[in-house]
Amino acid sequence: GRATGGVFINGRPIRSMAGWLKRNAAYVIQSDDGHYPDLTVREQLTFAAFLGGVASKSMRSAFQAVEQCMADTGLAVKGDVKIGKATGGGLSGGQKRRLSVAMALIRAPS
């Protein structure tokens, strides 16, 4: 047999929801590959803020968003720590996963 079907969000076809998804959803990477090991947590989040358009509002709002994301994810005390490589040093695996979440949250999805 042949399977058919569709993907819906709140009863609406996903194709009609592209704009909404872009503003309200984010993919969170599950590996450490998306981090730059030589950057600090604060630098990585600042980079993500600039790529996500947060800085288009103002530099101050971008830096405030970075500090808020670090506080919300429990990474504030690690702000000046280099992320490090998988072979050791830097953040733990759990902290790197929280950094991934913070990178998604920096865009302020609802």
Side-chain angles (χ1 to χ4, degrees):
R2 183 171 172 231
T4 61
V7 178
F8 297 85
I9 297 175
N10 294 331
R12 295 178 58 193
I14 196 166
R15 290 182 191 265
S16 69
M17 304 288 292
W20 181 88
L21 279 172
K22 192 172 187 176
R23 290 185 310 275
N24 297 290
Y27 177 75
V28 178
I29 59 171
Q30 298 299 311
S31 69
D32 299 340
D33 298 338
H35 303 132
Y36 293 99
D38 294 327
L39 294 181
T40 66
V41 170
R42 184 173 281 106
E43 291 167 339
Q44 178 77 44
L45 286 173
T46 301
F47 181 63
F50 277 84
L51 286 181
V54 177
S56 65
K57 298 171 189 167
S58 76
M59 295 290 283
R60 173 175 257 177
S61 67
F63 294 129
Q64 288 173 338
V66 166
E67 297 301 320
Q68 186 63 51
C69 273
M70 286 192 306
D72 291 346
T73 55
L75 292 171
V77 296
K78 298 290 185 178
D80 296 318
V81 174
K82 285 192 177 185
I83 295 164
K85 298 182 181 175
T87 55
L91 301 180
S92 69
Q95 290 165 335
K96 288 178 183 177
R97 284 187 287 280
R98 284 189 277 144
L99 177 59
S100 295
V101 170
M103 288 173 59
L105 291 174
I106 198 79
R107 287 184 25 217
S110 60

